[in-house]
Amino acid sequence: MAENWNPELMPKVIALVSGILQRVAETNDLNGRFRPQRISVFHGLIRPTISIESYLERIFKYANCSPSCLIVAYIYLDRFSQKQPFLPICSLNVHRLLITSVLVSAKFMDDIFYNNAFYAKVGGISTVEMNLLEVDFLFGLGFELNVTPTTFYTYCACIQKEILNDYPPLFRVQSSTTSNINGRPLNLHCCINEDESQHQQHQLTV
């Protein structure tokens, strides 16, 4: 499905995904005051000046990754946030998580991809840091990189539906009130129940 999308839709896909990440990061920034969070290699000292959307546009432009690669990168971010509840996506780590998820996705999905040094340059970090981020991300995922067709097409359908609906109320993420009451970080949300690794995984729904 992703490969059959009109190329003119990709800016909308990028805007949608970056908008979700922006909302999640901002909400978790507020919730971080009420909940302990683990500092990781993905955290920067200050919030990057480049917006998430501009950063994702830059990655897509220079890394020349496929549309499927972008969708799988989003799935990885969702999966990572589920597996690492004490490392929620926030303004200090979202950019590094994004460039790393695209790197890992490209290696897993695409026949031709750039090396870590190139991705480091695109992402504005050193090659040493890119290597370290990749390893930490893989361990954070538990090396569960396989994405079943059911998972992939469900995410595609969710994103495509939002595009067709012009995603009016900023992607219907959970309210910050609910998140604060429960003391839980806000995660990404496209969700299905499926058996990918001999146990049930739950992913949030758009």
Side-chain angles (χ1 to χ4, degrees):
M1 182 183 292
E3 302 302 345
N4 294 329
W5 278 351
N6 188 324
E8 295 180 358
L9 285 180
M10 286 313 299
K12 293 184 179 181
V13 175
I14 291 173
L16 177 64
V17 171
S18 60
I20 294 173
L21 290 170
Q22 182 73 35
R23 180 70 175 272
V24 169
E26 290 177 352
T27 303
N28 284 337
D29 288 344
L30 295 175
N31 295 341
R33 295 176 298 175
F34 308 102
R35 188 174 190 276
Q37 297 183 12
R38 180 167 62 88
I39 303 300
S40 71
V41 295
F42 297 100
H43 284 73
L45 297 177
I46 59 174
R47 180 176 180 172
T49 56
I50 185 172
S51 69
I52 297 174
E53 183 171 357
S54 296
Y55 195 66
L56 186 54
E57 288 174 344
R58 174 181 172 83
I59 295 172
F60 191 76
K61 176 181 178 180
Y62 292 106
N64 196 31
C65 55
S66 65
S68 294
C69 173
L70 180 59
I71 301 300
V72 171
Y74 179 74
I75 294 172
Y76 286 166
L77 284 173
D78 197 356
R79 192 175 290 176
F80 185 90
S81 68
Q82 299 288 329
K83 290 179 172 293
Q84 304 298 325
F86 291 103
L87 210 170
I89 294 173
C90 66
S91 297
L92 295 179
N93 65 23
V94 61
H95 292 75
R96 286 178 172 82
L97 283 170
L98 187 54
I99 186 68
T100 309
S101 67
V102 174
L103 165 68
V104 173
S105 175
K107 287 186 175 182
F108 191 75
M109 293 291 298
D110 294 345
D111 295 328
I112 300 175
F113 53 84
Y114 293 104
N115 59 23
N116 286 25
F118 183 86
Y119 272 92
K121 186 174 182 179
V122 171
I125 57 179
S126 69
T127 303
V128 172
E129 185 176 7
M130 186 76 263
N131 294 339
L132 182 61
L133 294 175
E134 180 186 17
V135 171
D136 261 49
F137 192 75
L138 290 171
F139 274 99
L141 288 174
F143 290 87
E144 294 182 16
L145 301 181
N146 185 52
V147 175
T148 65
T150 299
T151 300
F152 180 80
Y153 286 114
T154 299
Y155 276 80
C156 285
C158 289
I159 291 174
Q160 196 166 44
K161 180 180 178 181
E162 293 300 318
I163 290 173
L164 294 176
N165 291 335
D166 291 327
Y167 40 94
L170 202 55
F171 324 124
R172 298 192 292 276
V173 278
Q174 297 170 326
S175 69
S176 58
T177 303
T178 302
S179 187
N180 284 336
I181 291 175
N182 294 333
R184 297 175 181 174
L186 191 63
N187 293 319
L188 305 183
H189 48 272
C190 198
C191 136
I192 49 177
N193 290 318
E194 71 163 347
D195 185 6
E196 286 194 337
S197 58
Q198 297 181 348
H199 69 277
Q200 289 295 321
Q201 295 182 355
H202 180 68
Q203 299 165 314
L204 304 176
T205 303
V206 172

